[in-house]
Amino acid sequence: MADMKREAAEPWYAGGLRFRCTQCGDCCTGAEGYVWVNQEEIDAMARRLAMTSAEFEARHVYRVGIRRSLKERPGGDCVLLDETTRKCTAYEERPRQCRTWPFWDSNLRTPDDWAEAAAACPGCNHGQLVPLETIREQAAKIRL
C-alpha cells in the first residue's frame, strides 16, 4: 500500500528527462514576454559584459511594476542575444529564469506540456538524463 501511494505521488517524469542546451538561441526569441532579473543577476551580467550595473540596467533592463525584466528587440528577441551568432552574450551569467529552462512548472505539468516545449527546443529529449532530484531543484528556483 505504501508503494502505491509513493508511486501516485511521483511525477510523470520520475525517471528523469533528457536535456542538453544546444545554445541555439531559440528560447531567447519568439513571442514577447518577460525575463525577470534581480539585482544579483544584473550585477553578474554587467560584470560579464564589462559594464557597471547602472549602465547595464539603463541599456538592457526595464521596470514592470516593482519587478525588472530584460528588454527585447522588436519581434521578441532578447536584447542579450547576439543577432549574428544567435548566442547569449551573457550566457555564463544568464538569469535564473534562463538557467532553469526547460524545467519550469509550465513545461513539467504533463507529458504534453513537455512535448510542446520539446517541439520548440532542440535540447529537450537529447543529451544526458537529468535525474528527478535535479529537475525538482531547478523547478523550485522559479515558477513559470
Side-chain angles (χ1 to χ4, degrees):
M1 186 69 140
D3 285 337
M4 288 176 58
K5 284 184 180 180
R6 194 176 128 250
E7 285 179 24
E10 293 293 322
W12 66 268
Y13 51 89
L17 294 167
R18 293 194 179 282
F19 177 70
R20 179 191 78 254
C21 180
T22 64
Q23 295 187 37
C24 67
D26 287 355
C27 60
C28 307
T29 189
E32 293 181 5
Y34 303 104
V35 177
W36 303 114
V37 292
N38 61 32
Q39 192 62 51
E40 183 179 328
E41 293 166 334
I42 289 168
D43 295 345
M45 289 183 287
R47 282 190 305 274
R48 181 81 187 159
L49 299 177
M51 305 169 97
T52 67
S53 295
E55 289 170 327
F56 181 90
E57 192 160 359
R59 185 180 294 174
H60 299 305
V61 177
Y62 72 105
R63 292 212 173 256
V64 181
I66 62 168
R67 298 177 80 184
R68 293 174 286 180
S69 177
L70 291 177
K71 291 179 181 177
E72 296 171 322
R73 293 187 191 97
D77 286 5
C78 176
V79 72
L80 297 178
L81 182 67
D82 183 293
E83 295 177 272
T84 304
T85 65
R86 306 242 335 129
K87 305 277 187 224
C88 175
T89 57
Y91 185 81
E92 293 81 2
E93 301 297 339
R94 65 196 184 281
R96 174 185 62 225
Q97 183 173 333
C98 304
R99 286 182 183 279
T100 58
W101 170 265
F103 303 116
W104 298 348
D105 289 344
S106 58
N107 294 334
L108 297 172
R109 284 188 196 114
T110 67
D112 286 343
D113 290 329
W114 180 258
E116 187 176 331
C121 175
C124 290
N125 298 326
H126 296 91
Q128 293 185 345
L129 186 68
V130 179
L132 176 61
E133 187 56 37
T134 302
I135 294 168
R136 283 182 167 156
E137 287 170 7
Q138 292 295 305
K141 291 179 181 179
I142 195 159
R143 301 284 182 218
L144 292 172

